[in-house]
Structures are given as C-alpha cells and as structure tokens.
Amino acid sequence: MKLVRYGSVGQEKPGVLDSDGRVRDLSAHCDDIGGETLTPRGLEALRKIDISSLPLIDGIAQKDLRLGACVGGVDKFLAIGLNYADHAAESGMDVPTEPVVFTKWTNCIAGPDDDLHLPPGSEASDWEVELGIVIGSRAKNISESDALDHIAGYCLVNDISERDWQLKRGGTWDKGKGYDGFGPIGPWLVTADEIADPRALKMWLEVDGHRYQDGSTATMVFGPAEIVSYCSRFTTLQPGDLITTGTPPGVGMAQKPPAYLRDGQVMRLGIEGLGEQTQRVIGG
C-alpha cells in the first residue's frame, strides 16, 4: 500500500493510492496515518478494504492536490549521520564504527512539495536525499534479526541542514537540522511488503535541474535492521516514529566551491519506488 495524508496544512486527512495513482479517502477507517494505524493489526485492517470502494478525492496528487507529510502525529524523528562511506569521505570524516545518531525536531516535518523557507540570515542551507524508516510496532532492546518486523514501511526524506549551525556553532548537530520545514517526508508511506530490498534503491537529488546526488541505498554502512536495533537500545521506538538513514555523496557542502540553497531555487529528489519531492526555496 501507498498511504498518504492529503489536504491543506494542518487539516490533512488519511488516504491511500489506488491502482491508477488517484487518492482514495480513508477517513471512515482511521483517524490518521500514524500511531495505531501503522501497527501490524492496523495495516492488516487496511489491507482488507476494497480500495476501489473508497471515496475518490478530486485532483491529482502533487499536481492540484496537496499531500502533507505521509505520517502524522510523529513522536520521535531520529536521524543517522555519515551512513554512506563515500559521503563520509567527501565530508572529511571517518566512516563510523557505530551509527551516528542525532534528532530532527518534529516541527521540521513538512509536506513533500511545500515551499522551503530558509532561516533568517542562512548562508549554508544544504540538501540530503535519504531513505526514511517508519516504525510500526513498539521496539525496545530488539535484535537485528527481529528488527525488520518492527518496520511499517519506508518513505522519502529530504534531511535539509543548515551547515553553519550544525558544524560551526558548537554543541550537537541538532541545531542545524530542526528548523521549520527542514524535514519534508513523503509523498507516500510505502508499506514494507512492497519494498523487496530497502538496500537496493536508486536515489537522486537535483537543484535547478543539476543533478548533485546520484546514488543507491546499497552503499549504506548500516542497514535498516542494524539501525532500528541500535536505536531501540537507548530509546523505545513507537508506531509512527521516523528514522532517516543518511545520504549518499553530492551534498552542497562538499562542492568546490560549496553550493548552498538560495532564494528562488527548486529542489527535486526521489528514491526508486518511494516517489519524488519538489521544494521551491524562499529566502530567509
């Protein structure tokens, strides 16, 4: 299934894509795409629905029908840094021996095609196409062998980062990662049964038509099972929690000279099987 949240900002409703790529309304069957809906029991209930019998929503998704973030009511948004060896190299950092974990505050979550408003005075806002993991059942101190059973599905994430605040202002990375709008997710949550191998997905990102990132999840240092198991050691993961898993090379910081986001630019990004995003940049 491809689950979506559609409608105006703050008024999103749950939906599902039908075989024609049109949005069907799920409001009669769940309150939102999040929490209990994403548990094994919740997803099994949705799978029993005849999608063609659901109300058809006017408009075409991502054209004249806005999609919001594909998960609602997120409690935790964790992130993994330097999880691609070639990205670590371009950043001048060692490949980690354990996952590098930071947080993206939930206020950063945005729809896949919402405008990106740069923070006031930002001179170093950057892009990062990433695979997002959506948790489907409570996970605490779980093994790698059991971890995939706790994943509801996957989604596309743009881990937007203000590099000056992330790297030059002291403290943790979190400060550069949590601005409003710095975490577009979606367009849809693809349930795990539809992704045969999350470590074999092509991924890319362009700014104004120039392709900066062109990689694959195959080069991740730590895969989804390792990441979920590791994170469950120090926090209890709940249904609807998000983990974004790192980016391949090609970020703006690594260009020579560095290339950062500017007013009027347009980002486009995608991951095989998980859809595409488009964000217009508005200066701070």
Side-chain angles (χ1 to χ4, degrees):
M1 290 183 293
K2 291 181 173 66
L3 301 174
V4 302
R5 299 171 69 248
Y6 69 92
S8 58
V9 177
Q11 302 296 320
E12 293 90 350
K13 296 180 179 180
V16 60
L17 291 191
D18 66 17
S19 58
D20 296 321
R22 298 290 301 275
V23 176
R24 300 274 181 164
D25 182 57
L26 279 173
S27 297
H29 300 274
C30 60
D31 293 332
D32 204 351
I33 304 301
E36 181 64 28
T37 301
L38 297 178
T39 64
R41 182 172 63 179
L43 291 178
E44 183 58 31
L46 295 184
R47 289 190 181 98
K48 293 178 180 179
I49 299 169
D50 177 6
I51 291 177
S52 65
S53 70
L54 297 171
L56 182 64
I57 303 304
D58 291 338
I60 302 299
Q62 298 188 276
K63 293 184 178 178
D64 53 357
L65 175 62
R66 176 187 177 270
L67 296 185
C70 60
V71 184
V74 176
D75 182 56
K76 290 186 287 297
F77 191 177
L78 304 181
I80 308 300
L82 302 175
N83 196 31
Y84 288 69
D86 36 12
H87 172 56
E90 73 171 358
S91 301
M93 299 180 185
D94 294 335
V95 176
T97 57
E98 295 187 28
V100 174
V101 181
F102 59 92
T103 59
K104 289 181 73 70
W105 300 313
T106 55
N107 60 278
C108 81
I109 294 173
D113 306 309
D114 292 348
D115 291 343
L116 170 66
H117 292 261
L118 296 178
S122 172
E123 295 293 335
S125 289
D126 204 347
W127 54 82
E128 296 189 21
V129 58
E130 303 198 5
L131 172 70
I133 295 169
V134 183
I135 299 299
S137 58
R138 183 178 183 272
K140 181 177 182 179
N141 293 320
I142 60 169
S143 66
E144 286 184 27
S145 60
D146 292 334
L148 295 182
D149 293 336
H150 293 266
I151 296 176
Y154 301 92
C155 64
L156 172 60
V157 178
N158 192 354
D159 175 20
I160 301 168
S161 310
E162 214 297 330
R163 301 299 190 188
D164 285 345
W165 280 100
Q166 177 192 358
L167 300 171
K168 298 180 180 179
R169 304 296 293 267
T172 67
W173 288 5
D174 302 16
K175 291 183 294 185
K177 298 283 190 171
Y179 287 100
D180 291 353
F182 270 39
I185 64 170
W188 30 76
L189 185 164
V190 181
T191 51
D193 59 295
E194 293 196 5
I195 301 298
D197 185 357
R199 298 203 68 167
L201 304 176
K202 295 179 181 178
M203 56 202 311
W204 56 272
L205 182 144
E206 299 175 349
V207 180
D208 287 347
H210 177 81
R211 183 156 295 198
Y212 284 96
Q213 294 188 276
D214 197 356
S216 168
T217 59
T219 63
M220 285 193 292
V221 178
F222 306 104
E226 295 167 284
I227 289 169
V228 172
S229 173
Y230 186 84
C231 290
S232 78
R233 298 179 191 176
F234 53 81
T235 185
T236 301
L237 300 170
Q238 301 287 358
D241 285 350
L242 292 169
I243 308 174
T244 192
T245 60
T247 198
V251 298
M253 176 179 65
Q255 305 304 307
K256 298 185 185 304
Y260 292 121
L261 295 168
R262 296 290 181 261
D263 179 58
Q265 291 183 316
V266 175
M267 285 183 287
R268 290 184 61 247
L269 58 149
I271 295 180
E272 180 182 3
L274 299 181
E276 298 182 6
Q277 300 181 358
T278 302
Q279 292 112 28
R280 182 169 61 96
V281 180
I282 298 175

